[in-house]
mmCIF file of all heavy atoms in Angstrom:
data_model
loop_
_atom_site.group_PDB
_atom_site.id
_atom_site.type_symbol
_atom_site.label_atom_id
_atom_site.label_comp_id
_atom_site.label_asym_id
_atom_site.label_seq_id
_atom_site.Cartn_x
_atom_site.Cartn_y
_atom_site.Cartn_z
ATOM 1 N N MET C 1 60.520 105.751 35.552
ATOM 2 C CA MET C 1 60.409 106.899 36.312
ATOM 3 C C MET C 1 61.716 107.180 36.990
ATOM 4 O O MET C 1 62.356 106.288 37.506
ATOM 5 C CB MET C 1 59.338 106.703 37.322
ATOM 6 C CG MET C 1 59.042 107.981 38.189
ATOM 7 S SD MET C 1 57.630 107.650 39.300
ATOM 8 C CE MET C 1 56.197 107.495 38.193
ATOM 9 N N ARG C 2 62.103 108.420 36.953
ATOM 10 C CA ARG C 2 63.410 108.717 37.631
ATOM 11 C C ARG C 2 63.224 108.781 39.105
ATOM 12 O O ARG C 2 62.316 109.303 39.631
ATOM 13 C CB ARG C 2 63.876 110.115 37.254
ATOM 14 C CG ARG C 2 64.326 110.266 35.639
ATOM 15 C CD ARG C 2 64.324 111.615 35.198
ATOM 16 N NE ARG C 2 64.788 111.576 33.746
ATOM 17 C CZ ARG C 2 63.827 111.473 32.798
ATOM 18 N NH1 ARG C 2 62.677 111.156 32.971
ATOM 19 N NH2 ARG C 2 64.460 111.334 31.462
ATOM 20 N N GLU C 3 64.295 108.175 39.802
ATOM 21 C CA GLU C 3 64.157 108.198 41.321
ATOM 22 C C GLU C 3 64.426 109.471 41.871
ATOM 23 O O GLU C 3 65.348 110.165 41.429
ATOM 24 C CB GLU C 3 65.216 107.187 41.794
ATOM 25 C CG GLU C 3 64.982 105.728 41.416
ATOM 26 C CD GLU C 3 63.711 105.186 42.041
ATOM 27 O OE1 GLU C 3 63.580 105.485 43.217
ATOM 28 O OE2 GLU C 3 63.015 104.531 41.347
ATOM 29 N N PRO C 4 63.717 109.918 42.977
ATOM 30 C CA PRO C 4 64.029 111.100 43.664
ATOM 31 C C PRO C 4 65.421 111.170 44.220
ATOM 32 O O PRO C 4 65.927 110.142 44.592
ATOM 33 C CB PRO C 4 62.988 111.229 44.733
ATOM 34 C CG PRO C 4 61.896 110.235 44.324
ATOM 35 C CD PRO C 4 62.615 109.151 43.530
ATOM 36 N N TRP C 5 66.012 112.352 44.328
ATOM 37 C CA TRP C 5 67.414 112.500 44.819
ATOM 38 C C TRP C 5 67.284 113.647 45.899
ATOM 39 O O TRP C 5 66.549 114.687 45.586
ATOM 40 C CB TRP C 5 68.460 112.782 43.885
ATOM 41 C CG TRP C 5 68.256 114.029 42.908
ATOM 42 C CD1 TRP C 5 67.169 114.260 42.066
ATOM 43 C CD2 TRP C 5 69.139 115.084 42.689
ATOM 44 N NE1 TRP C 5 67.430 115.368 41.507
ATOM 45 C CE2 TRP C 5 68.622 115.933 41.774
ATOM 46 C CE3 TRP C 5 70.389 115.305 43.352
ATOM 47 C CZ2 TRP C 5 69.177 117.135 41.380
ATOM 48 C CZ3 TRP C 5 71.111 116.528 42.846
ATOM 49 C CH2 TRP C 5 70.458 117.427 42.021
ATOM 50 N N VAL C 6 68.004 113.553 46.969
ATOM 51 C CA VAL C 6 67.960 114.467 48.096
ATOM 52 C C VAL C 6 69.180 115.429 48.007
ATOM 53 O O VAL C 6 70.281 114.935 47.805
ATOM 54 C CB VAL C 6 68.078 113.706 49.429
ATOM 55 C CG1 VAL C 6 68.165 114.763 50.603
ATOM 56 C CG2 VAL C 6 66.751 112.791 49.622
ATOM 57 N N ALA C 57 63.658 116.377 48.205
ATOM 58 C CA ALA C 57 63.846 115.141 47.522
ATOM 59 C C ALA C 57 63.057 115.488 46.190
ATOM 60 O O ALA C 57 61.893 115.690 46.227
ATOM 61 C CB ALA C 57 63.363 113.977 48.190
ATOM 62 N N GLU C 58 63.845 115.513 45.072
ATOM 63 C CA GLU C 58 63.223 115.796 43.798
ATOM 64 C C GLU C 58 63.426 114.769 42.776
ATOM 65 O O GLU C 58 64.646 114.037 42.753
ATOM 66 C CB GLU C 58 63.789 117.156 43.310
ATOM 67 C CG GLU C 58 63.458 118.402 43.943
ATOM 68 C CD GLU C 58 63.967 119.639 43.280
ATOM 69 O OE1 GLU C 58 65.183 119.597 42.990
ATOM 70 O OE2 GLU C 58 63.201 120.631 43.207
ATOM 71 N N ARG C 59 62.541 114.458 41.920
ATOM 72 C CA ARG C 59 62.736 113.586 40.860
ATOM 73 C C ARG C 59 63.453 114.504 39.702
ATOM 74 O O ARG C 59 63.030 115.436 39.460
ATOM 75 C CB ARG C 59 61.327 113.019 40.322
ATOM 76 C CG ARG C 59 61.482 111.914 39.251
ATOM 77 C CD ARG C 59 60.229 111.613 38.741
ATOM 78 N NE ARG C 59 59.245 111.108 39.729
ATOM 79 C CZ ARG C 59 57.989 111.379 39.760
ATOM 80 N NH1 ARG C 59 57.430 112.194 38.750
ATOM 81 N NH2 ARG C 59 57.209 111.085 40.753
ATOM 82 N N ARG C 71 59.232 115.656 45.672
ATOM 83 C CA ARG C 71 58.580 114.451 46.309
ATOM 84 C C ARG C 71 58.741 114.399 47.841
ATOM 85 O O ARG C 71 58.059 113.666 48.512
ATOM 86 C CB ARG C 71 59.211 113.154 45.685
ATOM 87 C CG ARG C 71 59.114 113.111 44.226
ATOM 88 C CD ARG C 71 57.942 113.474 43.574
ATOM 89 N NE ARG C 71 56.918 112.332 43.647
ATOM 90 C CZ ARG C 71 55.543 112.502 43.639
ATOM 91 N NH1 ARG C 71 55.027 113.733 43.567
ATOM 92 N NH2 ARG C 71 54.771 111.524 43.650
ATOM 93 N N GLY C 72 59.541 115.241 48.457
ATOM 94 C CA GLY C 72 59.673 115.369 49.846
ATOM 95 C C GLY C 72 60.487 116.642 50.055
ATOM 96 O O GLY C 72 61.290 117.130 49.331
ATOM 97 N N VAL C 117 57.142 113.518 53.221
ATOM 98 C CA VAL C 117 57.322 112.845 51.885
ATOM 99 C C VAL C 117 55.857 112.628 51.233
ATOM 100 O O VAL C 117 55.036 112.173 52.002
ATOM 101 C CB VAL C 117 58.015 111.573 52.073
ATOM 102 C CG1 VAL C 117 58.189 110.731 50.809
ATOM 103 C CG2 VAL C 117 59.512 111.807 52.688
ATOM 104 N N HIS C 118 55.815 112.843 50.077
ATOM 105 C CA HIS C 118 54.600 112.580 49.311
ATOM 106 C C HIS C 118 54.118 111.171 49.404
ATOM 107 O O HIS C 118 55.003 110.247 49.402
ATOM 108 C CB HIS C 118 54.682 112.945 47.871
ATOM 109 C CG HIS C 118 53.351 113.069 47.127
ATOM 110 N ND1 HIS C 118 52.600 111.950 46.751
ATOM 111 C CD2 HIS C 118 52.683 114.232 46.732
ATOM 112 C CE1 HIS C 118 51.400 112.401 46.204
ATOM 113 N NE2 HIS C 118 51.469 113.671 46.160
ATOM 114 N N PRO C 119 52.888 110.870 49.850
ATOM 115 C CA PRO C 119 52.458 109.449 50.018
ATOM 116 C C PRO C 119 52.911 108.569 48.871
ATOM 117 O O PRO C 119 53.207 107.401 49.059
ATOM 118 C CB PRO C 119 51.003 109.560 50.100
ATOM 119 C CG PRO C 119 50.605 110.977 50.694
ATOM 120 C CD PRO C 119 51.854 111.829 50.121
ATOM 121 N N GLU C 120 52.935 109.123 47.561
ATOM 122 C CA GLU C 120 53.260 108.200 46.420
ATOM 123 C C GLU C 120 54.775 107.825 46.572
ATOM 124 O O GLU C 120 55.207 106.908 45.824
ATOM 125 C CB GLU C 120 52.900 108.918 45.203
ATOM 126 C CG GLU C 120 51.436 109.036 45.003
ATOM 127 C CD GLU C 120 51.188 109.933 43.726
ATOM 128 O OE1 GLU C 120 52.123 110.361 43.055
ATOM 129 O OE2 GLU C 120 49.913 109.947 43.401
ATOM 130 N N ALA C 121 55.668 108.596 47.221
ATOM 131 C CA ALA C 121 57.073 108.331 47.283
ATOM 132 C C ALA C 121 57.536 107.841 48.648
ATOM 133 O O ALA C 121 58.673 107.637 48.846
ATOM 134 C CB ALA C 121 57.785 109.745 46.985
ATOM 135 N N GLN C 122 56.628 107.407 49.535
ATOM 136 C CA GLN C 122 56.991 106.872 50.860
ATOM 137 C C GLN C 122 57.451 105.514 50.733
ATOM 138 O O GLN C 122 57.146 104.723 49.706
ATOM 139 C CB GLN C 122 55.920 107.019 51.791
ATOM 140 C CG GLN C 122 55.542 108.485 52.121
ATOM 141 C CD GLN C 122 54.307 108.540 53.011
ATOM 142 O OE1 GLN C 122 53.738 107.633 53.582
ATOM 143 N NE2 GLN C 122 53.822 109.801 53.357
ATOM 144 N N GLY C 123 58.220 105.029 51.619
ATOM 145 C CA GLY C 123 58.813 103.633 51.602
ATOM 146 C C GLY C 123 59.984 103.459 50.762
ATOM 147 O O GLY C 123 60.430 102.326 50.537
ATOM 148 N N GLN C 124 60.619 104.697 50.305
ATOM 149 C CA GLN C 124 61.911 104.582 49.608
ATOM 150 C C GLN C 124 63.059 105.015 50.335
ATOM 151 O O GLN C 124 64.086 105.157 49.696
ATOM 152 C CB GLN C 124 61.673 105.394 48.263
ATOM 153 C CG GLN C 124 60.554 104.991 47.363
ATOM 154 C CD GLN C 124 60.282 105.927 46.158
ATOM 155 O OE1 GLN C 124 61.357 106.434 45.667
ATOM 156 N NE2 GLN C 124 59.056 106.140 45.739
ATOM 157 N N GLY C 125 62.907 105.258 51.563
ATOM 158 C CA GLY C 125 64.081 105.881 52.350
ATOM 159 C C GLY C 125 64.330 107.304 52.236
ATOM 160 O O GLY C 125 65.257 107.861 52.674
ATOM 161 N N LEU C 126 63.292 108.144 51.509
ATOM 162 C CA LEU C 126 63.389 109.404 51.486
ATOM 163 C C LEU C 126 63.389 110.176 52.866
ATOM 164 O O LEU C 126 64.177 111.259 53.073
ATOM 165 C CB LEU C 126 62.404 110.077 50.584
ATOM 166 C CG LEU C 126 62.515 109.621 49.053
ATOM 167 C CD1 LEU C 126 61.436 110.239 48.318
ATOM 168 C CD2 LEU C 126 63.875 109.985 48.466
ATOM 169 N N GLY C 127 62.558 109.802 53.781
ATOM 170 C CA GLY C 127 62.402 110.468 55.027
ATOM 171 C C GLY C 127 63.757 110.356 55.788
ATOM 172 O O GLY C 127 64.259 111.299 56.470
ATOM 173 N N ARG C 128 64.336 109.155 55.678
ATOM 174 C CA ARG C 128 65.524 108.880 56.421
ATOM 175 C C ARG C 128 66.665 109.721 55.814
ATOM 176 O O ARG C 128 67.558 110.399 56.505
ATOM 177 C CB ARG C 128 65.920 107.370 56.289
ATOM 178 C CG ARG C 128 67.259 107.144 57.007
ATOM 179 C CD ARG C 128 67.497 105.542 56.901
ATOM 180 N NE ARG C 128 67.447 104.901 55.560
ATOM 181 C CZ ARG C 128 67.122 103.817 55.243
ATOM 182 N NH1 ARG C 128 66.708 102.941 56.160
ATOM 183 N NH2 ARG C 128 67.090 103.469 53.929
ATOM 184 N N GLY C 129 66.665 109.785 54.456
ATOM 185 C CA GLY C 129 67.729 110.603 53.885
ATOM 186 C C GLY C 129 67.603 112.111 54.117
ATOM 187 O O GLY C 129 68.627 112.804 54.330
ATOM 188 N N LEU C 130 66.309 112.493 54.181
ATOM 189 C CA LEU C 130 66.064 114.018 54.533
ATOM 190 C C LEU C 130 66.527 114.341 55.918
ATOM 191 O O LEU C 130 67.197 115.329 56.160
ATOM 192 C CB LEU C 130 64.636 114.329 54.348
ATOM 193 C CG LEU C 130 64.157 114.485 52.862
ATOM 194 C CD1 LEU C 130 62.617 114.355 52.757
ATOM 195 C CD2 LEU C 130 64.715 115.633 52.083
#
Side-chain angles (χ1 to χ4, degrees):
M1 183 176 292
R2 293 166 178 81
E3 292 298 319
W5 60 303
V6 174
E58 289 183 315
R59 190 183 304 140
R71 307 309 283 156
V117 175
H118 194 286
E120 294 175 357
Q122 291 175 7
Q124 302 176 33
L126 293 181
R128 179 173 58 206
L130 288 165

